[in-house]
CSV table of all heavy atoms in Angstrom, one decimal:
chain,number,residue,atom,x,y,z
A,1,PHE,N,105.1,67.1,102.3
A,1,PHE,CA,104.3,66.1,102.7
A,1,PHE,C,104.3,65.7,104.1
A,1,PHE,O,103.3,65.7,104.8
A,1,PHE,CB,104.6,64.9,101.8
A,1,PHE,CG,103.7,63.7,102.2
A,1,PHE,CD1,102.4,63.6,101.9
A,1,PHE,CD2,104.2,62.6,102.8
A,1,PHE,CE1,101.6,62.5,102.2
A,1,PHE,CE2,103.4,61.5,103.1
A,1,PHE,CZ,102.0,61.5,102.8
A,2,GLU,N,105.6,65.5,104.6
A,2,GLU,CA,105.6,65.1,106.1
A,2,GLU,C,105.1,66.2,107.0
A,2,GLU,O,104.3,66.0,107.9
A,2,GLU,CB,107.1,64.9,106.4
A,2,GLU,CG,107.3,64.4,107.9
A,2,GLU,CD,108.8,64.2,108.2
A,2,GLU,OE1,109.6,65.1,108.4
A,2,GLU,OE2,109.1,63.0,108.1
A,3,ARG,N,105.4,67.5,106.7
A,3,ARG,CA,104.9,68.5,107.6
A,3,ARG,C,103.3,68.6,107.5
A,3,ARG,O,102.6,68.9,108.5
A,3,ARG,CB,105.4,69.9,107.2
A,3,ARG,CG,104.9,71.1,108.0
A,3,ARG,CD,105.5,72.4,107.6
A,3,ARG,NE,105.0,73.4,108.5
A,3,ARG,CZ,105.8,74.0,109.4
A,3,ARG,NH1,107.0,73.6,109.5
A,3,ARG,NH2,105.3,75.0,110.1
A,4,THR,N,102.8,68.5,106.3
A,4,THR,CA,101.3,68.5,106.1
A,4,THR,C,100.6,67.4,106.8
A,4,THR,O,99.6,67.7,107.5
A,4,THR,CB,101.0,68.3,104.5
A,4,THR,OG1,101.6,69.3,103.8
A,4,THR,CG2,99.5,68.4,104.3
A,5,ILE,N,101.2,66.1,106.8
A,5,ILE,CA,100.6,65.1,107.6
A,5,ILE,C,100.7,65.4,109.1
A,5,ILE,O,99.7,65.1,109.8
A,5,ILE,CB,101.3,63.8,107.3
A,5,ILE,CG1,101.0,63.4,105.7
A,5,ILE,CG2,100.9,62.5,108.2
A,5,ILE,CD1,99.7,63.1,105.4
A,6,LEU,N,101.8,65.9,109.5
A,6,LEU,CA,101.9,66.2,111.0
A,6,LEU,C,101.0,67.3,111.4
A,6,LEU,O,100.4,67.3,112.5
A,6,LEU,CB,103.4,66.5,111.4
A,6,LEU,CG,104.3,65.3,111.2
A,6,LEU,CD1,105.8,65.8,111.3
A,6,LEU,CD2,104.0,64.2,112.2
A,7,GLU,N,100.8,68.3,110.5
A,7,GLU,CA,99.9,69.4,110.9
A,7,GLU,C,98.5,68.8,110.9
A,7,GLU,O,97.6,69.2,111.7
A,7,GLU,CB,99.9,70.5,109.8
A,7,GLU,CG,101.2,71.4,110.1
A,7,GLU,CD,101.4,72.4,109.0
A,7,GLU,OE1,100.7,72.3,108.0
A,7,GLU,OE2,102.2,73.3,109.3
A,8,GLY,N,98.2,67.9,109.9
A,8,GLY,CA,96.8,67.2,109.9
A,8,GLY,C,96.5,66.5,111.2
A,8,GLY,O,95.4,66.6,111.7
A,9,TRP,N,97.5,65.8,111.7
A,9,TRP,CA,97.4,65.1,113.0
A,9,TRP,C,97.2,66.1,114.1
A,9,TRP,O,96.3,65.9,115.0
A,9,TRP,CB,98.6,64.3,113.3
A,9,TRP,CG,98.7,63.8,114.7
A,9,TRP,CD1,97.7,63.1,115.3
A,9,TRP,CD2,99.8,63.9,115.6
A,9,TRP,NE1,98.2,62.7,116.6
A,9,TRP,CE2,99.4,63.2,116.8
A,9,TRP,CE3,101.1,64.6,115.4
A,9,TRP,CZ2,100.3,63.3,117.9
A,9,TRP,CZ3,101.8,64.6,116.6
A,9,TRP,CH2,101.6,63.9,117.8
A,10,ALA,N,97.9,67.3,114.1
A,10,ALA,CA,97.9,68.2,115.2
A,10,ALA,C,96.5,68.9,115.1
A,10,ALA,O,95.9,69.2,116.1
A,10,ALA,CB,98.9,69.3,115.0
A,11,MET,N,95.8,69.0,114.0
A,11,MET,CA,94.5,69.6,114.0
A,11,MET,C,93.4,68.6,114.1
A,11,MET,O,92.3,69.1,114.2
A,11,MET,CB,94.3,70.3,112.5
A,11,MET,CG,95.2,71.5,112.3
A,11,MET,SD,94.8,72.3,110.8
A,11,MET,CE,95.3,71.1,109.6
A,12,GLY,N,93.7,67.4,114.3
A,12,GLY,CA,92.7,66.4,114.5
A,12,GLY,C,92.0,65.7,113.3
A,12,GLY,O,91.1,65.0,113.4
A,13,ALA,N,92.7,66.0,112.2
A,13,ALA,CA,92.2,65.4,110.9
A,13,ALA,C,92.6,64.0,110.7
A,13,ALA,O,92.1,63.2,109.9
A,13,ALA,CB,92.6,66.3,109.6
A,14,LEU,N,93.7,63.7,111.4
A,14,LEU,CA,94.3,62.3,111.3
A,14,LEU,C,94.6,61.8,112.7
A,14,LEU,O,94.9,62.7,113.5
A,14,LEU,CB,95.6,62.3,110.4
A,14,LEU,CG,95.6,62.7,109.0
A,14,LEU,CD1,97.0,62.8,108.5
A,14,LEU,CD2,94.9,61.6,108.2
A,15,SER,N,94.6,60.5,112.9
A,15,SER,CA,95.0,60.0,114.1
A,15,SER,C,96.5,59.8,114.0
A,15,SER,O,97.1,59.9,112.9
A,15,SER,CB,94.3,58.6,114.3
A,15,SER,OG,94.8,57.7,113.4
A,16,LEU,N,97.2,59.6,115.2
A,16,LEU,CA,98.6,59.4,115.2
A,16,LEU,C,98.9,58.0,114.4
A,16,LEU,O,99.9,58.0,113.7
A,16,LEU,CB,99.1,59.3,116.6
A,16,LEU,CG,100.6,59.1,116.7
A,16,LEU,CD1,101.4,60.1,116.0
A,16,LEU,CD2,101.1,58.9,118.2
A,17,GLN,N,98.1,57.1,114.6
A,17,GLN,CA,98.1,55.9,114.0
A,17,GLN,C,98.1,56.0,112.3
A,17,GLN,O,99.1,55.4,111.7
A,17,GLN,CB,97.0,54.9,114.3
A,17,GLN,CG,97.1,53.6,113.6
A,17,GLN,CD,95.9,52.7,113.8
A,17,GLN,OE1,94.8,53.2,114.1
A,17,GLN,NE2,96.0,51.3,113.8
A,18,ARG,N,97.3,56.8,111.9
A,18,ARG,CA,97.3,57.0,110.4
A,18,ARG,C,98.5,57.8,110.0
A,18,ARG,O,99.1,57.6,108.9
A,18,ARG,CB,96.0,57.6,109.9
A,18,ARG,CG,94.9,56.6,110.0
A,18,ARG,CD,93.6,57.1,109.5
A,18,ARG,NE,92.6,56.1,109.4
A,18,ARG,CZ,91.3,56.2,109.4
A,18,ARG,NH1,90.8,57.4,109.6
A,18,ARG,NH2,90.6,55.2,109.4
A,19,ALA,N,98.8,58.9,110.8
A,19,ALA,CA,100.0,59.7,110.5
A,19,ALA,C,101.3,58.9,110.3
A,19,ALA,O,102.1,59.0,109.3
A,19,ALA,CB,100.1,60.9,111.4
A,20,VAL,N,101.6,58.1,111.3
A,20,VAL,CA,102.8,57.3,111.3
A,20,VAL,C,102.8,56.2,110.2
A,20,VAL,O,103.8,55.9,109.6
A,20,VAL,CB,103.1,56.6,112.7
A,20,VAL,CG1,103.3,57.7,113.7
A,20,VAL,CG2,102.1,55.6,113.2
A,21,ARG,N,101.6,55.7,109.9
A,21,ARG,CA,101.6,54.7,108.8
A,21,ARG,C,101.9,55.4,107.4
A,21,ARG,O,102.5,55.0,106.7
A,21,ARG,CB,100.2,54.1,108.8
A,21,ARG,CG,100.1,53.0,107.8
A,21,ARG,CD,98.7,52.3,107.8
A,21,ARG,NE,98.5,51.7,109.1
A,21,ARG,CZ,97.3,51.8,109.6
A,21,ARG,NH1,96.3,52.5,109.0
A,21,ARG,NH2,97.1,51.3,110.8
A,22,ARG,N,101.3,56.6,107.3
A,22,ARG,CA,101.5,57.3,106.0
A,22,ARG,C,103.0,57.7,105.9
A,22,ARG,O,103.6,57.8,104.8
A,22,ARG,CB,100.6,58.6,106.0
A,22,ARG,CG,99.2,58.2,105.6
A,22,ARG,CD,98.4,59.4,105.6
A,22,ARG,NE,97.0,59.0,105.4
A,22,ARG,CZ,96.0,59.9,105.2
A,22,ARG,NH1,96.3,61.1,105.1
A,22,ARG,NH2,94.8,59.4,104.9
A,23,LEU,N,103.7,58.1,107.0
A,23,LEU,CA,105.0,58.5,106.9
A,23,LEU,C,106.0,57.5,107.1
A,23,LEU,O,107.2,57.7,106.8
A,23,LEU,CB,105.3,59.6,108.1
A,23,LEU,CG,104.4,60.9,107.9
A,23,LEU,CD1,104.6,61.8,109.1
A,23,LEU,CD2,104.7,61.6,106.5
A,24,GLY,N,105.6,56.3,107.6
A,24,GLY,CA,106.5,55.2,107.8
A,24,GLY,C,107.6,55.4,108.9
A,24,GLY,O,108.7,55.1,108.9
A,25,ILE,N,107.0,56.1,110.0
A,25,ILE,CA,107.9,56.3,111.1
A,25,ILE,C,107.2,55.9,112.4
A,25,ILE,O,106.1,55.5,112.4
A,25,ILE,CB,108.2,57.9,111.3
A,25,ILE,CG1,106.8,58.7,111.4
A,25,ILE,CG2,109.0,58.4,110.1
A,25,ILE,CD1,107.2,60.2,111.6
A,26,THR,N,107.9,56.0,113.5
A,26,THR,CA,107.3,55.6,114.8
A,26,THR,C,106.5,56.8,115.4
A,26,THR,O,106.7,57.9,115.0
A,26,THR,CB,108.4,55.1,115.8
A,26,THR,OG1,109.1,56.3,116.1
A,26,THR,CG2,109.3,54.1,115.2
A,27,GLY,N,105.8,56.6,116.4
A,27,GLY,CA,105.1,57.6,117.1
A,27,GLY,C,106.0,58.6,117.7
A,27,GLY,O,105.8,59.8,117.7
A,28,GLU,N,107.1,58.1,118.3
A,28,GLU,CA,108.1,59.0,118.9
A,28,GLU,C,108.7,59.9,117.8
A,28,GLU,O,109.0,61.1,118.1
A,28,GLU,CB,109.1,58.1,119.6
A,28,GLU,CG,108.7,57.4,121.0
A,28,GLU,CD,108.1,56.1,120.6
A,28,GLU,OE1,108.0,55.7,119.4
A,28,GLU,OE2,107.6,55.5,121.5
């Protein structure tokens, strides 16, 4: 799940804001 969300962010399907919210982590 984590890798899928991060790949989605990298491809532009998700913003960083949504990715960190879904994963419960910081941007860093």
Side-chain angles (χ1 to χ4, degrees):
F1 175 71
E2 182 176 80
R3 182 185 183 103
T4 302
I5 295 299
L6 294 172
E7 286 176 345
W9 166 55
M11 291 186 296
L14 294 171
S15 66
L16 180 59
Q17 178 188 26
R18 286 186 172 153
V20 299
R21 187 176 303 132
R22 287 181 182 183
L23 296 174
I25 59 177
T26 66
E28 291 85 0

